[in-house]
Amino acid sequence: AQSVSQHNHHVILSEAASLELGCNYSYGGTVNLFWYVQYPGQHLQLLLKYFSGDPLVKGIKGFEAEFIKSKFSFNLRKPSVQWSDTAEYFCAVWDTGFQKLVFGTGTRLLVSP
Amino acid sequence: SQTIHQWPATLVQPVGSPLSLECTVEGTSNPNLYWYRQAAGRGLQLLFYSVGIGQISSEVPQNLSASRPQDRQFILSSKKLLLSDSGFYLCAWRTVGRYQETQYFGPGTRLLVL
C-alpha cells in the first residue's frame, strides 16, 4: 500500500517569506495527488490536486505544487506567505490498489506577522 | 451544490458510554462515504468506508463500528467508549465518476472521553 511522508512537522515563517513543504509517496505508477489545508477551527479543504498533464499544479490562494515523478514527490509552494496561511497542511495520495486516500501526518505552518 | 453535515460538533462522554456520530450528505446520490480519525501529529486515519447502503468496510479493528442505513447517511457508533477513542472524527464523501478520486470533508466532531 502507498504511504506518504511529510518531513516537516512544524514550520515557522515570517510574512512574505517563501514556503515549500515536502511530500513524498512510496511507489510509482499512475498517481493522483492532493494537498488539503485545515485552517484553525475550520474543516479540511482541498487546496489543489494532480491527476495528469502539467506537473505544475496551481491551487487556491496562490499555492502551487510540482509533481516530480522521478523523485516520487509533490511539494507544495507559495512565493510569499501571509499570516492567514497559518494552518495545518496535509499531503495525500490515492492508492489505486486499495482504493483509498492515504494521508501524510501533516505539517503545521505558523506565519508570524 | 453538495454539502456534508456532521453532528454533534463537540461531544464529551464518560468512559463506557455509547456513541453515535452522524454524517449526512446533500446534493449528490450514491456517494462513497468515509470515516476518519484525526489525532495530533498522526495525520488522518481511515476507519471505515462505504460504497453503498449496508456496505461497510473496516480499515482497522477497534472499538468502533459504522452503519449506512440510507444512501446519504453514515453513522459511527460504539457500545462502550474507551479513553483512547478521544479524537477528531471526520466524515468525507466522494462521487465515483468524473471527479472520482477527490474526497470532500465535513466539519468534524471533536470527541473527548473522560
Side-chain angles (χ1 to χ4, degrees), chain A residues 79-98:
Chain A
S80 175
V81 295
Q82 301 172 320
W83 175 78
S84 57
D85 293 324
T86 293
E88 190 162 15
Y89 294 81
F90 293 92
C91 182
V93 60
W94 179 256
D95 188 320
T96 53
F98 288 87

PDB file of all heavy atoms in Angstrom, chain A residues 79-98:
ATOM      1  N   PRO A  79       5.111  31.569  -3.053  1.00  0.00           N
ATOM      2  CA  PRO A  79       6.230  32.512  -3.105  1.00  0.00           C
ATOM      3  C   PRO A  79       6.291  33.463  -1.913  1.00  0.00           C
ATOM      4  O   PRO A  79       7.379  33.832  -1.477  1.00  0.00           O
ATOM      5  CB  PRO A  79       5.993  33.296  -4.400  1.00  0.00           C
ATOM      6  CG  PRO A  79       4.948  32.575  -5.146  1.00  0.00           C
ATOM      7  CD  PRO A  79       4.190  31.734  -4.189  1.00  0.00           C
ATOM      8  N   SER A  80       5.124  33.832  -1.392  1.00  0.00           N
ATOM      9  CA  SER A  80       5.102  34.820  -0.324  1.00  0.00           C
ATOM     10  C   SER A  80       3.912  34.515   0.593  1.00  0.00           C
ATOM     11  O   SER A  80       2.753  34.707   0.214  1.00  0.00           O
ATOM     12  CB  SER A  80       4.962  36.226  -0.931  1.00  0.00           C
ATOM     13  OG  SER A  80       4.831  37.205   0.074  1.00  0.00           O
ATOM     14  N   VAL A  81       4.210  34.025   1.784  1.00  0.00           N
ATOM     15  CA  VAL A  81       3.122  33.614   2.682  1.00  0.00           C
ATOM     16  C   VAL A  81       2.544  34.809   3.426  1.00  0.00           C
ATOM     17  O   VAL A  81       3.206  35.830   3.625  1.00  0.00           O
ATOM     18  CB  VAL A  81       3.590  32.540   3.693  1.00  0.00           C
ATOM     19  CG1 VAL A  81       3.952  31.264   2.970  1.00  0.00           C
ATOM     20  CG2 VAL A  81       4.750  33.052   4.538  1.00  0.00           C
ATOM     21  N   GLN A  82       1.307  34.613   3.862  1.00  0.00           N
ATOM     22  CA  GLN A  82       0.619  35.620   4.655  1.00  0.00           C
ATOM     23  C   GLN A  82       0.241  35.026   6.000  1.00  0.00           C
ATOM     24  O   GLN A  82       0.192  33.793   6.158  1.00  0.00           O
ATOM     25  CB  GLN A  82      -0.646  36.068   3.924  1.00  0.00           C
ATOM     26  CG  GLN A  82      -0.385  36.658   2.551  1.00  0.00           C
ATOM     27  CD  GLN A  82      -1.679  36.900   1.787  1.00  0.00           C
ATOM     28  OE1 GLN A  82      -2.594  36.083   1.833  1.00  0.00           O
ATOM     29  NE2 GLN A  82      -1.748  38.018   1.090  1.00  0.00           N
ATOM     30  N   TRP A  83      -0.046  35.892   6.941  1.00  0.00           N
ATOM     31  CA  TRP A  83      -0.440  35.437   8.273  1.00  0.00           C
ATOM     32  C   TRP A  83      -1.642  34.491   8.179  1.00  0.00           C
ATOM     33  O   TRP A  83      -1.738  33.503   8.910  1.00  0.00           O
ATOM     34  CB  TRP A  83      -0.777  36.655   9.131  1.00  0.00           C
ATOM     35  CG  TRP A  83      -1.296  36.309  10.479  1.00  0.00           C
ATOM     36  CD1 TRP A  83      -0.582  35.900  11.560  1.00  0.00           C
ATOM     37  CD2 TRP A  83      -2.670  36.326  10.877  1.00  0.00           C
ATOM     38  NE1 TRP A  83      -1.418  35.658  12.625  1.00  0.00           N
ATOM     39  CE2 TRP A  83      -2.703  35.914  12.231  1.00  0.00           C
ATOM     40  CE3 TRP A  83      -3.862  36.648  10.238  1.00  0.00           C
ATOM     41  CZ2 TRP A  83      -3.900  35.827  12.943  1.00  0.00           C
ATOM     42  CZ3 TRP A  83      -5.041  36.561  10.955  1.00  0.00           C
ATOM     43  CH2 TRP A  83      -5.050  36.151  12.288  1.00  0.00           C
ATOM     44  N   SER A  84      -2.519  34.757   7.232  1.00  0.00           N
ATOM     45  CA  SER A  84      -3.722  33.942   7.079  1.00  0.00           C
ATOM     46  C   SER A  84      -3.437  32.538   6.535  1.00  0.00           C
ATOM     47  O   SER A  84      -4.345  31.702   6.469  1.00  0.00           O
ATOM     48  CB  SER A  84      -4.724  34.638   6.153  1.00  0.00           C
ATOM     49  OG  SER A  84      -4.133  34.898   4.892  1.00  0.00           O
ATOM     50  N   ASP A  85      -2.194  32.267   6.163  1.00  0.00           N
ATOM     51  CA  ASP A  85      -1.834  30.916   5.715  1.00  0.00           C
ATOM     52  C   ASP A  85      -1.514  29.995   6.885  1.00  0.00           C
ATOM     53  O   ASP A  85      -1.245  28.799   6.679  1.00  0.00           O
ATOM     54  CB  ASP A  85      -0.625  30.971   4.763  1.00  0.00           C
ATOM     55  CG  ASP A  85      -0.954  31.666   3.460  1.00  0.00           C
ATOM     56  OD1 ASP A  85      -2.104  31.503   2.969  1.00  0.00           O
ATOM     57  OD2 ASP A  85      -0.080  32.390   2.929  1.00  0.00           O
ATOM     58  N   THR A  86      -1.537  30.523   8.073  1.00  0.00           N
ATOM     59  CA  THR A  86      -1.331  29.692   9.263  1.00  0.00           C
ATOM     60  C   THR A  86      -2.385  28.600   9.292  1.00  0.00           C
ATOM     61  O   THR A  86      -3.587  28.871   9.312  1.00  0.00           O
ATOM     62  CB  THR A  86      -1.425  30.546  10.544  1.00  0.00           C
ATOM     63  OG1 THR A  86      -0.316  31.452  10.573  1.00  0.00           O
ATOM     64  CG2 THR A  86      -1.403  29.672  11.783  1.00  0.00           C
ATOM     65  N   ALA A  87      -1.934  27.349   9.272  1.00  0.00           N
ATOM     66  CA  ALA A  87      -2.852  26.218   9.136  1.00  0.00           C
ATOM     67  C   ALA A  87      -2.041  24.930   9.201  1.00  0.00           C
ATOM     68  O   ALA A  87      -0.817  24.947   9.308  1.00  0.00           O
ATOM     69  CB  ALA A  87      -3.584  26.287   7.792  1.00  0.00           C
ATOM     70  N   GLU A  88      -2.765  23.821   9.123  1.00  0.00           N
ATOM     71  CA  GLU A  88      -2.112  22.519   9.001  1.00  0.00           C
ATOM     72  C   GLU A  88      -2.330  22.024   7.579  1.00  0.00           C
ATOM     73  O   GLU A  88      -3.446  22.097   7.048  1.00  0.00           O
ATOM     74  CB  GLU A  88      -2.642  21.522  10.026  1.00  0.00           C
ATOM     75  CG  GLU A  88      -1.820  20.251  10.074  1.00  0.00           C
ATOM     76  CD  GLU A  88      -2.037  19.450  11.356  1.00  0.00           C
ATOM     77  OE1 GLU A  88      -3.013  19.716  12.074  1.00  0.00           O
ATOM     78  OE2 GLU A  88      -1.205  18.556  11.630  1.00  0.00           O
ATOM     79  N   TYR A  89      -1.280  21.521   6.968  1.00  0.00           N
ATOM     80  CA  TYR A  89      -1.314  21.116   5.568  1.00  0.00           C
ATOM     81  C   TYR A  89      -1.061  19.618   5.471  1.00  0.00           C
ATOM     82  O   TYR A  89      -0.114  19.092   6.064  1.00  0.00           O
ATOM     83  CB  TYR A  89      -0.257  21.887   4.766  1.00  0.00           C
ATOM     84  CG  TYR A  89      -0.559  23.368   4.678  1.00  0.00           C
ATOM     85  CD1 TYR A  89      -0.232  24.212   5.734  1.00  0.00           C
ATOM     86  CD2 TYR A  89      -1.204  23.911   3.573  1.00  0.00           C
ATOM     87  CE1 TYR A  89      -0.532  25.562   5.681  1.00  0.00           C
ATOM     88  CE2 TYR A  89      -1.508  25.260   3.516  1.00  0.00           C
ATOM     89  CZ  TYR A  89      -1.174  26.078   4.580  1.00  0.00           C
ATOM     90  OH  TYR A  89      -1.482  27.420   4.521  1.00  0.00           O
ATOM     91  N   PHE A  90      -1.922  18.950   4.715  1.00  0.00           N
ATOM     92  CA  PHE A  90      -1.830  17.507   4.556  1.00  0.00           C
ATOM     93  C   PHE A  90      -1.647  17.150   3.079  1.00  0.00           C
ATOM     94  O   PHE A  90      -2.400  17.605   2.223  1.00  0.00           O
ATOM     95  CB  PHE A  90      -3.106  16.817   5.057  1.00  0.00           C
ATOM     96  CG  PHE A  90      -3.320  16.933   6.532  1.00  0.00           C
ATOM     97  CD1 PHE A  90      -4.070  17.966   7.056  1.00  0.00           C
ATOM     98  CD2 PHE A  90      -2.769  16.008   7.395  1.00  0.00           C
ATOM     99  CE1 PHE A  90      -4.282  18.085   8.417  1.00  0.00           C
ATOM    100  CE2 PHE A  90      -2.975  16.110   8.769  1.00  0.00           C
ATOM    101  CZ  PHE A  90      -3.731  17.149   9.272  1.00  0.00           C
ATOM    102  N   CYS A  91      -0.677  16.301   2.842  1.00  0.00           N
ATOM    103  CA  CYS A  91      -0.483  15.734   1.514  1.00  0.00           C
ATOM    104  C   CYS A  91      -1.174  14.372   1.490  1.00  0.00           C
ATOM    105  O   CYS A  91      -1.213  13.667   2.516  1.00  0.00           O
ATOM    106  CB  CYS A  91       1.005  15.571   1.257  1.00  0.00           C
ATOM    107  SG  CYS A  91       1.419  14.923  -0.366  1.00  0.00           S
ATOM    108  N   ALA A  92      -1.739  13.996   0.348  1.00  0.00           N
ATOM    109  CA  ALA A  92      -2.434  12.716   0.258  1.00  0.00           C
ATOM    110  C   ALA A  92      -2.266  12.135  -1.135  1.00  0.00           C
ATOM    111  O   ALA A  92      -2.136  12.867  -2.119  1.00  0.00           O
ATOM    112  CB  ALA A  92      -3.923  12.878   0.581  1.00  0.00           C
ATOM    113  N   VAL A  93      -2.272  10.815  -1.208  1.00  0.00           N
ATOM    114  CA  VAL A  93      -2.196  10.114  -2.478  1.00  0.00           C
ATOM    115  C   VAL A  93      -3.311   9.088  -2.545  1.00  0.00           C
ATOM    116  O   VAL A  93      -3.621   8.431  -1.545  1.00  0.00           O
ATOM    117  CB  VAL A  93      -0.807   9.445  -2.677  1.00  0.00           C
ATOM    118  CG1 VAL A  93      -0.521   8.437  -1.573  1.00  0.00           C
ATOM    119  CG2 VAL A  93      -0.714   8.774  -4.028  1.00  0.00           C
ATOM    120  N   TRP A  94      -3.914   8.977  -3.705  1.00  0.00           N
ATOM    121  CA  TRP A  94      -4.964   7.973  -3.902  1.00  0.00           C
ATOM    122  C   TRP A  94      -4.300   6.647  -4.210  1.00  0.00           C
ATOM    123  O   TRP A  94      -3.571   6.517  -5.192  1.00  0.00           O
ATOM    124  CB  TRP A  94      -5.905   8.390  -5.024  1.00  0.00           C
ATOM    125  CG  TRP A  94      -6.982   7.378  -5.289  1.00  0.00           C
ATOM    126  CD1 TRP A  94      -7.052   6.496  -6.324  1.00  0.00           C
ATOM    127  CD2 TRP A  94      -8.128   7.133  -4.484  1.00  0.00           C
ATOM    128  NE1 TRP A  94      -8.170   5.727  -6.208  1.00  0.00           N
ATOM    129  CE2 TRP A  94      -8.857   6.095  -5.099  1.00  0.00           C
ATOM    130  CE3 TRP A  94      -8.619   7.693  -3.295  1.00  0.00           C
ATOM    131  CZ2 TRP A  94     -10.047   5.610  -4.567  1.00  0.00           C
ATOM    132  CZ3 TRP A  94      -9.807   7.217  -2.777  1.00  0.00           C
ATOM    133  CH2 TRP A  94     -10.507   6.184  -3.400  1.00  0.00           C
ATOM    134  N   ASP A  95      -4.543   5.674  -3.359  1.00  0.00           N
ATOM    135  CA  ASP A  95      -3.989   4.339  -3.548  1.00  0.00           C
ATOM    136  C   ASP A  95      -4.954   3.565  -4.446  1.00  0.00           C
ATOM    137  O   ASP A  95      -6.014   3.142  -4.006  1.00  0.00           O
ATOM    138  CB  ASP A  95      -3.831   3.650  -2.185  1.00  0.00           C
ATOM    139  CG  ASP A  95      -3.078   2.332  -2.295  1.00  0.00           C
ATOM    140  OD1 ASP A  95      -3.305   1.584  -3.270  1.00  0.00           O
ATOM    141  OD2 ASP A  95      -2.264   2.039  -1.405  1.00  0.00           O
ATOM    142  N   THR A  96      -4.567   3.409  -5.721  1.00  0.00           N
ATOM    143  CA  THR A  96      -5.485   2.775  -6.664  1.00  0.00           C
ATOM    144  C   THR A  96      -5.674   1.292  -6.364  1.00  0.00           C
ATOM    145  O   THR A  96      -6.715   0.729  -6.675  1.00  0.00           O
ATOM    146  CB  THR A  96      -4.970   2.946  -8.103  1.00  0.00           C
ATOM    147  OG1 THR A  96      -3.614   2.488  -8.171  1.00  0.00           O
ATOM    148  CG2 THR A  96      -4.994   4.402  -8.510  1.00  0.00           C
ATOM    149  N   GLY A  97      -4.668   0.672  -5.738  1.00  0.00           N
ATOM    150  CA  GLY A  97      -4.802  -0.741  -5.416  1.00  0.00           C
ATOM    151  C   GLY A  97      -5.808  -0.977  -4.304  1.00  0.00           C
ATOM    152  O   GLY A  97      -6.673  -1.845  -4.403  1.00  0.00           O
ATOM    153  N   PHE A  98      -5.703  -0.207  -3.258  1.00  0.00           N
ATOM    154  CA  PHE A  98      -6.587  -0.365  -2.105  1.00  0.00           C
ATOM    155  C   PHE A  98      -7.792   0.578  -2.161  1.00  0.00           C
ATOM    156  O   PHE A  98      -8.640   0.538  -1.281  1.00  0.00           O
ATOM    157  CB  PHE A  98      -5.809  -0.150  -0.812  1.00  0.00           C
ATOM    158  CG  PHE A  98      -4.855  -1.272  -0.488  1.00  0.00           C
ATOM    159  CD1 PHE A  98      -3.575  -1.273  -1.000  1.00  0.00           C
ATOM    160  CD2 PHE A  98      -5.253  -2.323   0.314  1.00  0.00           C
ATOM    161  CE1 PHE A  98      -2.698  -2.314  -0.722  1.00  0.00           C
ATOM    162  CE2 PHE A  98      -4.389  -3.360   0.615  1.00  0.00           C
ATOM    163  CZ  PHE A  98      -3.104  -3.357   0.087  1.00  0.00           C
TER     164      PHE A  98
END
